[in-house]
Amino acid sequence: QEVPLKYGAQYTGKRTDEAMNKWRGNRFGQFIHWGLYAIPGGVWNGKTYNYAAEFLKSSAKIPTSTWDSLMYQFNPVKFNARQWAKMAKQMGARYMTITTKHHEGFCLWPSQYTDFNIGNTPYKKDILKELVEAYNAEGIDVNFYYSVLDWHHPDWRYDIKSPEDSVAFRRFLQFASGQLRELATNYPTVKAFWFDGTWDNSIKKNGWWTLEVEQMLKKIRPGAVVNSRLRADDFGKRHIDSNGKLMGDYESGYERRLPNPVKDVQVTRWDWEACMTVPENQWGYHKDWSVSHVKSPLELLEMLVHTTSMGGNFLLNFGPAGDGSIRAEEQHIARTIGAWMQQNGQVIYDCDYAGWEKQDWGYFTKPRTGNIVNMVVFNIPVNGLLKVKVPAGTKISKATLAGKNVKVEEIAKDQFFIHLPQQAYKMPPVIVLEAVGGAKTNAQYQ
Ligand SMILES: C[C@@H]1N[C@@H](c2cn(-c3ccccc3)nn2)[C@H](O)[C@@H]1O
């Protein structure tokens, strides 16, 4: 029995319009966290704080006035938007999501709604405009991350506990709406909005505003894509409304974690995106990455393939330094993943969940059209035989690795061994199967 909702999901199922098909087909994005937090980089008064560098203000208990004066030091002399965009292009990113404003409240664009913005820094110029133009020139779509939570704004409230809170927070919501309106209006090529900082009771109690924002953005920018994290319904339910329906255009709950390819196949029924840090938990620039595990290019590449294999987008984070430089580890990641994407991007872009049973050697992806199923092999079996279980009645007519045929051996009903050429593999090999007939998917894997 459905409950009537005014601010719940606006539609069900995947959007199939051109703008959403492009968003979905992009598959691989570059997240960029850049703000005042990049200046101290996790170190304050000579002390290193291991928690996420973009949280240094709270970790080091820095007064707002002290933190906000970092604005007068923001002068990224090594910043070169075209260089960043070229690196992202080489990595194989099809979209980029930039923190227009993070929880600190500092705006990378000259907002008319607050002085706490790039225009009042020594750098002065509109960084957001430079990035949008440079990335678009490389053919990369640009999306805007926007934190509703704002540590700088006096009218922000974590909860609404008094009439004064209500009055103040209503002013705050008008401020945020104004900022979002100027972002959608002044940067007309923006393709999507990535909302964050919406978990507090103050937002849960104002679900109406979250729908109003989604509708406003789509009115100004038809086709715009909005994440589920923005949305709260009439009862404060977030992401999924009180009738179990996904709000927004895609599910954005996977932060620094991925759905399990066996237990979580339900995610293949809707659009979703996972965002990922290179260290264990650093989004903004941190001076000392030795304090936690730093993921290798191969670990991150496997996450990209894992995500594509389950019909999701993968947003890999970069945290540029306060001077605008990109650290060596991130440049190495971009080059290494980019080299593989150069050869194998066709198993990621416009690919989706194959509906085949997950096997131990790696992941299946399926292009939107044709009878192709791709195998991306991360775990080379000792016997060199890759087991493939196919939907009932499916026949594999051909298998190739780098364009050369490899042997297909039927070993049981709907089961095959694909013979992997024995060699030292430094990067994951890709085998392309031509599969004909049979059911569309293993029914139990929907
Ligand atoms: C996308 C990521 N979301 C921001 C975040 C994460 N968190 C958080 C806070 C407490 C527990 C778990 C997550 N708060 N803000 C991070 O700073 C980054 O922007």
Side-chain angles (χ1 to χ4, degrees):
Q1 184 62 13
E2 292 221 339
V3 297
L5 294 172
K6 286 191 283 188
Y7 314 124
Q10 299 297 295
Y11 66 89
T12 53
K14 294 181 183 179
R15 269 176 52 177
T16 55
D17 56 285
E18 190 190 333
M20 193 70 196
N21 287 341
K22 177 66 168 62
W23 180 91
R24 183 182 303 115
N26 283 345
R27 282 296 180 234
F28 184 26
Q30 178 192 37
F31 213 165
I32 296 179
H33 275 73
W34 203 31
L36 300 182
Y37 43 77
I39 297 170
V43 179
W44 197 261
N45 290 340
K47 185 176 182 320
T48 298
Y49 293 80
N50 295 347
Y51 193 62
E54 70 279 4
F55 275 84
L56 181 64
K57 182 177 182 289
S58 47
S59 309
K61 297 184 178 44
I62 301 165
T64 297
S65 56
T66 306
W67 183 267
D68 291 357
S69 63
L70 284 168
M71 174 167 82
Y72 303 110
Q73 294 177 45
F74 194 76
N75 188 20
V77 292
K78 292 184 180 169
F79 174 54
N80 182 320
R82 287 180 314 288
Q83 265 173 16
W84 288 16
K86 278 189 179 19
M87 180 191 68
K89 180 76 174 184
Q90 194 281 325
M91 180 168 78
R94 282 277 170 94
Y95 67 102
M96 182 274 278
T97 301
I98 174 72
T99 51
T100 61
K101 185 187 83 170
H102 201 260
H103 309 337
E104 66 182 2
F106 174 69
C107 305
L108 285 184
W109 83 99
S111 172
Q112 67 181 72
Y113 295 92
T114 175
D115 293 338
F116 195 37
N117 74 61
I118 191 70
N120 299 313
T121 68
Y123 187 79
K124 287 193 182 5
K125 290 172 288 179
D126 183 346
I127 277 191
L128 194 60
K129 187 170 190 290
E130 289 183 276
L131 284 170
V132 169
E133 289 177 350
Y135 275 77
N136 285 175
E138 292 290 341
I140 298 174
D141 291 338
V142 174
N143 303 337
F144 289 163
Y145 165 108
Y146 181 87
S147 172
V148 180
L149 166 60
D150 187 320
W151 296 331
H152 171 84
H153 199 288
D155 291 332
W156 165 261
R157 293 292 183 279
Y158 288 97
D159 200 353
I160 311 298
K161 291 201 172 334
S162 69
E164 293 71 28
D165 284 346
S166 288
V167 171
F169 201 62
R170 189 159 295 269
R171 272 199 307 268
F172 178 81
L173 293 176
Q174 295 314 318
F175 154 79
S177 291
Q179 289 207 311
L180 289 161
R181 192 178 310 110
E182 69 180 345
L183 283 171
T185 307
N186 299 342
Y187 305 90
T189 62
V190 64
K191 294 293 181 295
F193 292 85
W194 205 108
F195 286 91
D196 202 10
T198 54
W199 44 79
D200 290 297
N201 282 341
S202 52
I203 301 294
K204 290 179 185 170
K205 292 175 177 174
N206 287 280
W208 65 271
W209 179 77
T210 72
L211 175 58
E212 189 180 277
V213 162
E214 176 177 354
Q215 291 171 330
M216 171 187 73
L217 293 173
K218 292 181 172 181
K219 190 164 180 339
I220 299 171
R221 296 264 74 86
V225 175
V226 171
N227 67 335
S228 60
R229 196 177 294 203
L230 163 64
R231 302 279 279 100
D233 76 359
D234 311 48
F235 301 96
K237 281 274 288 153
R238 297 182 58 238
H239 294 274
I240 311 280
D241 74 16
S242 304
N243 293 318
K245 294 179 179 172
L246 178 69
M247 295 183 278
D249 300 308
Y250 67 95
E251 197 276 317
S252 61
Y254 287 100
E255 183 171 316
R256 297 191 300 119
R257 63 190 178 95
L258 297 181
N260 180 287
V262 175
K263 287 181 282 197
D264 298 323
V265 285
Q266 71 279 0
V267 302
T268 63
R269 293 203 297 268
W270 51 79
D271 283 307
W272 60 280
E273 178 194 65
C275 57
M276 192 58 66
T277 50
V278 176
E280 197 272 327
N281 184 16
Q282 295 295 338
W283 297 93
Y285 179 82
H286 196 292
K287 286 175 180 164
D288 181 358
W289 270 16
S290 70
V291 295
S292 84
H293 172 65
V294 176
K295 299 177 194 75
S296 69
L298 262 177
E299 280 179 88
L300 295 163
L301 176 58
E302 176 161 1
M303 292 181 177
L304 168 60
V305 175
H306 174 156
T307 302
T308 301
S309 80
M310 297 188 78
N313 282 12
F314 187 67
L315 187 58
L316 174 57
N317 186 68
F318 284 62
D323 66 3
S325 61
I326 304 287
R327 67 197 311 147
E329 301 94 328
E330 293 177 348
Q331 293 196 39
H332 173 60
I333 285 162
R335 272 196 303 276
T336 309
I337 291 180
W340 188 88
M341 286 298 282
Q342 189 78 34
Q343 302 303 321
N344 303 292
Q346 78 284 355
V347 307
I348 300 294
Y349 305 130
D350 297 309
C351 285
D352 212 315
Y353 174 56
W356 290 18
E357 179 179 335
K358 174 81 176 63
Q359 304 287 314
D360 294 341
W361 42 261
Y363 307 86
F364 292 115
T365 76
K366 182 168 181 23
R368 210 173 266 163
T369 57
N371 292 318
I372 296 289
V373 171
N374 302 303
M375 299 170 57
V376 190
V377 184
F378 285 89
N379 310 314
I380 308 290
V382 170
N383 62 9
L385 302 173
L386 304 171
K387 178 179 282 190
V388 175
K389 293 186 178 179
V390 300
T394 304
K395 288 299 169 216
I396 296 177
S397 57
K398 190 176 177 188
T400 54
L401 189 160
K404 282 168 61 183
N405 282 353
V406 294
K407 185 177 173 193
V408 179
E409 178 192 351
E410 191 159 356
I411 56 172
K413 183 175 176 326
D414 302 327
Q415 281 195 47
F416 299 85
F417 271 152
I418 306 294
H419 291 241
L420 183 67
Q422 297 284 13
Q423 66 170 78
Y425 292 97
K426 283 275 166 289
M427 294 298 281
V430 168
I431 291 176
V432 179
L433 302 178
E434 285 185 17
V436 289
K440 275 282 157 272
T441 64
N442 293 349
Q444 72 270 34
Y445 294 107
Q446 273 299 4

